[in-house]
Amino acid sequence: MSVQFANTATFTADGVLFDMDGTLTDSIAAVEAAWTAKANELGLEPEAVIKATHGRRASDNLMELVPGLRKEHVEREVDKFERSILAFADTPPESRKSSFSSARSARGSISSSRSPMTPLTPNSAASDITRHPSFRFTTSDTLNFTNYKLSQTIEEAAIEDDSPFEDEQEENEKIVDMSVRILPGVRDLINSLPEGKYAVATSGAKTYCHGCLSRTGITIPKVCVTADDSRLLRGKPFPDPFLLAASDLGIDPTRAVVFEDSPSGIKAGVASGATVIAVCTSHKRHQIDSIGAHYVVDTLDQVKVNHLENGQLQFIISH
């Protein structure tokens, strides 16, 4: 039962199902850098790839993007890709600055030695390591290549603005911090929930999920459904991840509350029958307020939880 007043809504539930990235944690800069690198490897437009992949399993994305990728190779490539995200997140901005400088100094020799029609690839692309053609780069290659692409973009923008780098301070200001961060309101909300009353259901695989949670000091819950769970047949926007998480918690999905930020995740939550609270962390309100979420909030600071004597959770939403 839900009770609504002018600016608040109150209802009860038996448990909580959290999406992870974009809901609990923010690693969007590192994720977008990794997909940018992957798009460049595949000769695709990075912005289109980033838009198409948000909120979906990396395995589903890679199967769609990479021609001829065999199913038996998907798990390995997902693990490598998600480790590259964490590598981006763990690279200090100062180190990235020096990488940019190295990339710029190397660009002249690379450019002068290739035809204008020859695509730019990392130096190690010609290594003897046997890989699927679309996955010929190591994580180190991916980091170096994306640092190069980002530094190239920064330089081009500076040239267009007629404001080339004058000193290290100006260069530092243009470097993006890709570290994983906890989002507003998350810690207080999780701390207000009894143990065993909440789970994580994410489109990330175990390596990425546990890596992000540990980097932000969020305790990994006992129920954590990741994209590589062998019991999971379909990912978001299908409801399977939330249905499985609810089952592992021992609750009816229709008595669960789903927190999500992406359109595909919101659709999955709605399809599961849960009460869905969408949070405007990765998308603007107008992009997600018509997908079916029961409530839309700016941050999780707007959500409070009380414990009732009968074991239920009372939610108070300020919106």
Side-chain angles (χ1 to χ4, degrees), residues 142-299:
T142 301
L143 286 166
N144 291 334
F145 187 40
T146 303
N147 281 342
Y148 175 89
K149 296 297 290 184
L150 290 175
S151 67
Q152 185 180 39
T153 300
I154 290 171
E155 282 195 33
E156 290 171 352
I159 291 171
E160 289 178 3
D161 293 340
D162 194 26
S163 56
F165 292 119
E166 294 288 340
D167 51 39
E168 281 193 7
Q169 181 177 1
E170 185 176 353
E171 182 177 4
N172 238 350
E173 291 173 353
K174 293 180 178 293
I175 297 171
V176 178
D177 183 356
M178 297 185 186
S179 58
V180 182
R181 304 169 186 273
I182 190 169
L183 286 164
V186 169
R187 202 174 303 281
D188 286 344
L189 180 58
I190 289 181
N191 288 342
S192 71
L193 296 172
E195 184 178 356
K197 285 287 190 177
Y198 67 94
V200 166
T202 175
S203 293
K206 184 177 181 179
T207 296
Y208 176 51
C209 174
H210 288 195
C212 284
L213 293 178
S214 63
R215 281 163 172 77
T216 54
I218 298 174
T219 301
I220 299 170
K222 292 182 179 179
V223 176
C224 195
V225 176
T226 57
D228 49 352
D229 192 309
S230 60
R231 302 169 297 168
L232 196 62
L233 299 179
R234 303 177 300 179
K236 303 170 187 178
F238 295 100
D240 303 35
F242 292 125
L243 294 176
L244 182 57
S247 176
D248 285 353
L249 275 185
I251 64 173
D252 186 327
T254 63
R255 291 289 301 161
V257 176
V258 163
F259 287 93
E260 262 288 358
D261 70 296
S262 72
S264 62
I266 294 169
K267 291 176 183 177
V270 172
S272 74
T275 298
V276 178
I277 301 176
V279 57
C280 303
T281 47
S282 63
H283 292 74
K284 295 180 180 179
R285 183 177 289 264
H286 74 269
Q287 295 176 305
I288 60 175
D289 65 0
S290 61
I291 300 177
H294 299 82
Y295 306 98
V296 180
V297 297
D298 295 319
T299 73

Side-chain angles (χ1 to χ4, degrees), residues 13-262:
D14 295 333
V16 180
L17 311 177
F18 288 108
D19 170 53
M20 186 196 68
D21 202 26
T23 301
L24 299 178
T25 64
D26 175 13
S27 63
I28 190 65
V31 170
E32 290 190 353
W35 280 120
T36 294
K38 186 58 63 184
N40 287 325
E41 291 179 23
L42 300 172
L44 301 174
E45 172 56 47
E47 288 187 9
V49 170
I50 290 170
K51 182 178 180 181
T53 56
H54 189 82
R56 301 174 68 234
R57 296 187 298 181
S59 56
D60 294 333
N61 292 327
L62 292 173
M63 286 293 291
E64 289 181 7
L65 292 171
V66 183
L69 179 60
R70 296 180 180 179
K71 289 185 177 180
E72 60 266 30
H73 296 159
V74 171
E75 183 176 348
R76 178 191 65 194
E77 299 304 335
V78 167
D79 182 70
K80 184 172 68 174
F81 175 76
E82 296 196 343
R83 287 183 186 278
S84 78
I85 298 175
L86 297 176
F88 276 116
D90 291 341
T91 304
E94 294 78 12
S95 298
R96 194 171 299 117
K97 177 176 74 69
S98 60
S99 296
F100 287 172
S101 300
S102 299
R104 284 201 305 278
S105 63
R107 188 173 69 174
S109 60
I110 294 173
S111 299
S112 62
S113 64
R114 68 185 179 94
S115 161
M117 297 302 293
T118 303
L120 175 68
T121 58
N123 294 332
S124 59
S127 72
D128 293 330
I129 299 174
T130 302
R131 293 191 182 93
H132 185 284
S134 296
F135 292 96
R136 60 189 179 277
F137 305 141
T138 64
T139 298
S140 178
D141 292 331
T142 301
L143 286 166
N144 291 334
F145 187 40
T146 303
N147 281 342
Y148 175 89
K149 296 297 290 184
L150 290 175
S151 67
Q152 185 180 39
T153 300
I154 290 171
E155 282 195 33
E156 290 171 352
I159 291 171
E160 289 178 3
D161 293 340
D162 194 26
S163 56
F165 292 119
E166 294 288 340
D167 51 39
E168 281 193 7
Q169 181 177 1
E170 185 176 353
E171 182 177 4
N172 238 350
E173 291 173 353
K174 293 180 178 293
I175 297 171
V176 178
D177 183 356
M178 297 185 186
S179 58
V180 182
R181 304 169 186 273
I182 190 169
L183 286 164
V186 169
R187 202 174 303 281
D188 286 344
L189 180 58
I190 289 181
N191 288 342
S192 71
L193 296 172
E195 184 178 356
K197 285 287 190 177
Y198 67 94
V200 166
T202 175
S203 293
K206 184 177 181 179
T207 296
Y208 176 51
C209 174
H210 288 195
C212 284
L213 293 178
S214 63
R215 281 163 172 77
T216 54
I218 298 174
T219 301
I220 299 170
K222 292 182 179 179
V223 176
C224 195
V225 176
T226 57
D228 49 352
D229 192 309
S230 60
R231 302 169 297 168
L232 196 62
L233 299 179
R234 303 177 300 179
K236 303 170 187 178
F238 295 100
D240 303 35
F242 292 125
L243 294 176
L244 182 57
S247 176
D248 285 353
L249 275 185
I251 64 173
D252 186 327
T254 63
R255 291 289 301 161
V257 176
V258 163
F259 287 93
E260 262 288 358
D261 70 296
S262 72

